[in-house]
Amino acid sequence: MKTKFSAIFVALLTAGAVGMATAATEADLEKSFFPYKSGVPTVAGLTEGTVVSAKNVDQFKDAIDPALFDMIKRGWLEVPVAKTTSFDMNKAYVEASRANMNKTKLGAKPGEIEGFVAGRPFLEEPSAADPRAGEKVMWNYKYGVNWGDNAAIYPFYWKYRNMTTGQLEKTLKLNLHFLNFTHRIEHEPKPEVTPNPSKLFRGIYMNIMEPQDLKGTQLLIQRYEDDTKADDAYLYLGFQRRVRRLATGQVTDSFLGADLMIQDFEGYNDRLSAYKWKFIATKNVLMPYYYHNQLKLAEDMPVEKDGFKYVDFGGQGKCFQNITWQLRKVFVVEGSPVDPSPISKRLLYIDAQANTINRSVIYDKKGEIWKTFTIGKSHPDSHLPVNKGSGIPIDDSFSMVDLQAKHCTTGQFKGQVDPKLNPPRMFQVQFMRGGD
């Protein structure tokens, strides 16, 4: 009896220790937000100006994720390497992280969190010895600075391509908007949007402008503060002139015929409790971080009235961004869906400084690589004037490649950190019905 009691006591004590955040320090905060202060990652032979190609990719295999390695090996793209630089984070976000240090702890179950106010919830370096380290990294992602309190991709071009022939099958032009209802740290209203009777955490709204057959189609996603509560998602079909609610399972369906699912948006777009998370390792990996205005930009895209030009694409089937990559500190996290899904797991490469997902490897139910997602990040000071000084790395391009179907969907966009573009009324079902 005594032995059994002791075992139960130890189990409870361990569970409590795992759930609580250990005492983070100012040194942890500095390491989390300024990982390159004392030096940048290095790999032998991988220097500024190196072009990783089919000829030399084997030499750098440890610094490249498995899907990217495979695509380079096939000769589908080459990866030019640029100098690793610090993407210094939003100052208000860093200060919120400092002010709320050690207030957050994990709940008893995945998707439960206690004491969170604002900023980065867990500042300590993740460890494979912590069985819930993957959850902590994902909470940092969820409550990260990605797009800040509110921003818009305005406009946003999606292109569907046959990867074998390069044929452009379809182009969508749309606007995509983001708004945090709670835990706001910079733009008014702070710290939350009121009223908020449904207790929403975040809203995502999409409005399609072209082509004509999809014009007026709208998507609204409402994510709740309670992560264990399923998102609400609504689709407005212009030709039907009605709003319909999407079933939970539809987040893993192809969205409007693209190679993306709704769950793929931003690298991972769902409740954290929809997956089981495992921290794999901290690695130095090539990531799509660059300076927009230093790139050779697209000549086959319309130039915006303010002179903005879009990221160019090339490689096999024009499925890959013509960008530079940086060797960066990365957290590798594996996610496995809780409910039935066409996916067996996601391997996420999360930038340690920005805590955003910029490379994903998606596996099918057989455990084979199915798709791979690249989200390009521009330094905000090398982008639009409205983004300069924001401390928000700007999503600037994407490439979703279906390796099995030899098909891709690419994205070229004009991201703007501008609260005026994202009024709270936009993230309500009534707005979709109003059509304004």
Side-chain angles (χ1 to χ4, degrees):
M1 175 66 83
K2 184 177 180 180
T3 303
K4 183 177 180 181
F5 175 80
S6 298
I8 294 172
F9 178 77
V10 170
L12 289 172
L13 188 63
T14 302
V18 168
M20 292 185 66
T22 57
T25 65
E26 180 67 21
D28 290 318
L29 182 141
E30 287 288 318
K31 189 174 182 179
S32 184
F33 285 108
F34 305 101
Y36 309 121
K37 184 172 283 188
S38 58
V40 298
T42 59
V43 167
L46 194 67
T47 58
E48 182 180 0
T50 301
V51 177
V52 182
S53 67
K55 296 178 181 179
N56 63 2
V57 67
D58 289 322
Q59 180 182 348
F60 307 117
K61 188 171 185 178
D62 289 343
I64 301 173
D65 68 74
L68 182 61
F69 176 87
D70 181 61
M71 294 188 297
I72 296 173
K73 190 75 174 175
R74 295 189 195 193
W76 290 356
L77 78 158
E78 295 182 348
V79 171
V81 179
K83 180 182 177 181
T84 300
T85 59
S86 180
F87 277 49
D88 287 359
M89 304 302 291
N90 179 273
K91 292 179 181 178
Y93 185 77
V94 175
E95 287 308 310
S97 304
R98 177 177 283 114
N100 296 295
M101 191 184 300
N102 296 318
K103 291 183 180 178
T104 307
K105 65 178 182 178
L106 296 176
K109 300 176 182 177
E112 294 180 350
I113 196 169
E114 300 173 10
F116 176 70
V117 178
R120 186 168 288 175
F122 300 101
L123 293 169
E124 311 91 318
E125 195 78 5
S127 167
D130 178 355
R132 300 185 73 178
E135 285 179 62
K136 293 175 183 176
V137 174
M138 292 306 294
W139 279 109
N140 286 349
Y141 163 73
K142 175 173 179 175
Y143 289 135
V145 76
N146 197 24
W147 288 119
D149 294 337
N150 28 238
I153 300 175
Y154 190 94
F156 194 174
Y157 290 91
W158 288 18
K159 295 181 180 179
Y160 301 22
R161 290 186 181 276
N162 180 312
M163 194 172 179
T164 302
T165 65
Q167 178 187 359
L168 178 60
E169 300 167 346
K170 183 190 296 185
T171 300
L172 268 60
K173 181 181 181 182
L174 54 99
N175 292 333
L176 189 61
H177 302 260
F178 310 91
L179 177 78
N180 287 351
F181 283 84
T182 56
H183 313 296
R184 298 171 62 84
I185 48 90
E186 186 171 26
H187 296 136
E188 296 293 347
K190 296 185 296 185
E192 59 183 319
V193 174
T194 57
N196 184 15
S198 298
K199 297 182 178 179
L200 299 177
F201 159 60
R202 197 167 195 241
I204 300 173
Y205 171 75
M206 175 189 288
N207 187 2
I208 296 176
M209 296 174 286
E210 298 175 7
Q212 188 61 37
D213 62 330
L214 290 174
K215 185 176 181 179
T217 298
Q218 302 168 66
L219 172 70
L220 174 64
I221 301 171
Q222 296 175 328
R223 179 151 303 133
Y224 290 91
E225 184 70 26
D226 179 358
D227 188 85
T228 63
K229 186 175 181 179
D231 295 349
D232 283 334
Y234 304 88
L235 192 67
Y236 178 88
L237 299 173
F239 63 90
Q240 292 183 349
R241 302 184 66 83
R242 70 182 183 92
V243 177
R244 65 181 180 88
R245 190 166 180 168
L246 296 182
T248 303
Q250 288 181 277
V251 299
T252 52
D253 291 343
S254 167
F255 181 67
L256 299 179
D259 296 289
L260 285 82
M261 312 166 177
I262 291 174
Q263 196 180 73
D264 295 325
F265 291 3
E266 300 182 85
Y268 177 74
N269 178 49
D270 207 337
R271 299 169 297 133
L272 300 190
S273 52
Y275 272 61
K276 295 179 181 177
W277 303 104
K278 179 182 179 183
F279 176 71
I280 302 299
T282 300
K283 298 187 69 176
N284 296 327
V285 176
L286 283 172
M287 293 283 271
Y289 277 61
Y290 52 84
Y291 288 72
H292 179 101
N293 291 341
Q294 296 177 14
L295 300 176
K296 185 179 182 299
L297 300 169
E299 297 294 338
D300 60 349
M301 293 285 291
V303 178
E304 297 295 317
K305 292 180 180 179
D306 58 4
F308 180 82
K309 290 185 176 182
Y310 295 89
V311 168
D312 193 25
F313 275 72
Q316 181 68 37
K318 294 194 75 173
C319 288
F320 301 97
Q321 299 106 308
N322 289 332
I323 58 175
T324 55
W325 295 59
Q326 296 187 4
L327 184 67
R328 297 181 65 84
K329 178 182 177 182
V330 168
F331 302 137
V332 185
V333 174
E334 180 183 291
S336 304
V338 173
D339 296 321
S341 169
I343 295 170
S344 62
K345 68 178 181 180
R346 294 175 181 270
L347 204 57
L348 306 180
Y349 289 77
I350 302 174
D351 186 81
Q353 184 174 33
N355 257 114
T356 53
I357 302 168
N358 300 104
R359 283 287 302 144
S360 307
V361 185
I362 302 166
Y363 295 77
D364 65 15
K365 294 188 76 171
K366 297 178 181 178
E368 298 174 351
I369 295 178
W370 175 18
K371 298 187 298 182
T372 182
F373 198 19
T374 303
I375 302 177
K377 286 276 192 186
S378 172
H379 196 290
D381 296 351
S382 180
H383 206 265
L384 292 166
V386 71
N387 298 327
K388 190 173 182 178
S390 67
I392 298 174
I394 304 298
D395 284 4
D396 198 46
S397 61
F398 81 69
S399 168
M400 176 65 88
V401 176
D402 186 328
L403 284 87
Q404 297 181 7
K406 303 295 191 299
H407 197 271
C408 70
T409 303
T410 62
Q412 292 155 285
F413 37 106
K414 182 181 175 182
Q416 304 176 61
V417 182
D418 185 351
K420 296 190 297 294
L421 295 175
N422 308 282
R425 63 188 176 87
M426 180 180 280
F427 302 89
Q428 303 297 334
V429 174
Q430 291 81 356
F431 184 84
M432 302 175 80
R433 294 194 176 107
D436 59 353

